Amino acid sequence: VRKEMRVFPFFKIFNFNKLNIRQKFLGLYVLAFIVPLMIITVILSKWISKTLTTRQFALIRTSLAQTSSLISSMLESSLKLSESLFANRTVNQILEYRFKSTQEVYSHYATLSFLQDLAMANPDVLNFVYYTENQTMVDNSYFIRVTQELQDSNWYKAAVAAEGREVWVIKNVESYDTQTLSLVRALFNKTTGEVLGVLSVHLDNLKIEEILSAHNDETLVLVDSNIAFSSMPLNPSEKLSIATTLSNGDFKPEQIIWHGKESVVMLNGLYNSKRSTITLAQIIPQSDFTKPSHFVILLCLLITGGGSILSLSLLQLFSHHITKRVDYLQNQINRIVQNNLDRK
């Protein structure tokens, strides 16, 4: 009962019948136009924001897929080349043979002219090298004798541990004085099991960087979660702390903090095995996703706000005109009634 006593006075204060014509028009305008318009604007804004974000994701995914296809093609061609070099009987025989003189070494090298043909037939490859443990050989463009320093290097140990299976690493290319993505495979004497050396196929790092530079946003190639290539200058101390164990072709977005800003990193798996992983990553600031939707939402609000103000102004003019007419008629009626009373 107490609640009813509190509620009824509230409705009595705002009794619609007690409002004047202008107030009634304004109340009907708010209820029939402004409130539905606000609800529609909120729903439409959320839908536009979601649609634009989904479209941006789709465009980025398509762009990454194209880049992924180009780099994957380089990886596949390098893998095929390594198969040819790894299984070549002539090369394996030279790696096993103990030479008596330098002249004998060069006479055997003369039979390896096909190595140059293979190098020229693979433009995505910078070069390839057999790191040999046969110390009777002579260093040249295709053969480098293994030193203790090389044997102690992580990539060499990883190749030997993989027992002939391919491992992707980032390593120095001695003849070019640069680092690049390389496929390494250990070679073994099939009879004794002795390590003959490690084959290393080096990808052309400039081609990879050229592919990545086509993107406006920072795009990276990660090898075992370490940054190998970047489309933009990179601080050596910067690291991307994310898991990159994606299967080939898998796509995954993640939220990260990059350069002190909230960002989204789009990950695309290029290669995945127990020995190594290669992942393509593109980092987009979170603001780049929100700016387009914020602009469209602001535009919608300006249009609806402007339309509301214009319609409210017209309603005010109309209600003012109607109110004047009604007041005039009311005055006339009052005068007529007053005259009739005076006559009586």
Side-chain angles (χ1 to χ4, degrees), residues 16-160:
F16 189 76
N17 293 326
K18 291 184 178 181
L19 300 176
N20 60 39
I21 293 176
R22 181 178 296 181
Q23 291 172 333
K24 287 179 180 179
F25 271 124
L26 185 60
L28 289 172
Y29 172 78
V30 170
L31 292 174
F33 183 75
I34 295 296
V35 173
L37 183 64
M38 289 176 65
I39 294 171
I40 292 171
T41 301
V42 170
I43 295 172
L44 185 62
S45 298
K46 289 184 176 180
W47 178 81
I48 290 172
S49 178
K50 185 178 179 180
T51 301
L52 287 175
T53 302
T54 302
R55 183 173 178 274
Q56 281 182 290
F57 268 99
L59 291 173
I60 293 168
R61 184 167 185 169
T62 301
S63 177
L64 271 185
Q66 293 173 348
T67 302
S68 174
S69 177
L70 293 173
I71 297 177
S72 294
S73 178
M74 296 180 69
L75 299 180
E76 288 172 11
S77 63
S78 300
L79 184 57
K80 288 179 181 178
L81 176 60
S82 77
E83 292 288 351
S84 300
L85 297 170
F86 181 79
N88 190 277
R89 183 178 296 181
T90 304
V91 173
N92 278 277
Q93 287 175 347
I94 291 175
L95 293 174
E96 294 174 7
Y97 186 75
R98 292 296 179 262
F99 296 97
K100 305 297 189 297
S101 65
T102 303
Q103 185 178 358
E104 188 180 13
V105 175
Y106 283 117
S107 66
H108 279 76
Y109 283 177
T111 64
L112 301 177
S113 58
F114 63 87
L115 293 179
Q116 185 175 359
D117 296 335
L118 286 172
M120 294 179 65
N122 290 273
D124 293 333
V125 172
L126 190 63
N127 74 339
F128 55 83
V129 174
Y130 289 96
Y131 293 91
T132 175
E133 298 202 6
N134 185 349
Q135 298 300 320
T136 64
M137 296 178 67
V138 177
D139 292 356
N140 70 353
S141 300
Y142 301 108
F143 297 95
I144 294 177
R145 287 173 294 178
V146 173
T147 61
Q148 188 61 47
E149 184 181 356
L150 284 173
Q151 285 183 329
D152 292 337
S153 62
N154 291 331
W155 65 265
Y156 196 93
K157 290 179 180 178
V160 173

Side-chain angles (χ1 to χ4, degrees), residues 6 12 42 58 74 88 90 108 123 147 152 203 210 246 250 255 312 314 323:
R6 290 178 184 176
K12 287 180 180 180
V42 170
M74 296 180 69
N88 190 277
T90 304
H108 279 76
T147 61
D152 292 337
L203 268 67
E210 183 180 356
L246 294 176
D250 281 359
Q255 300 284 339
L312 181 61
L314 293 174
T323 301

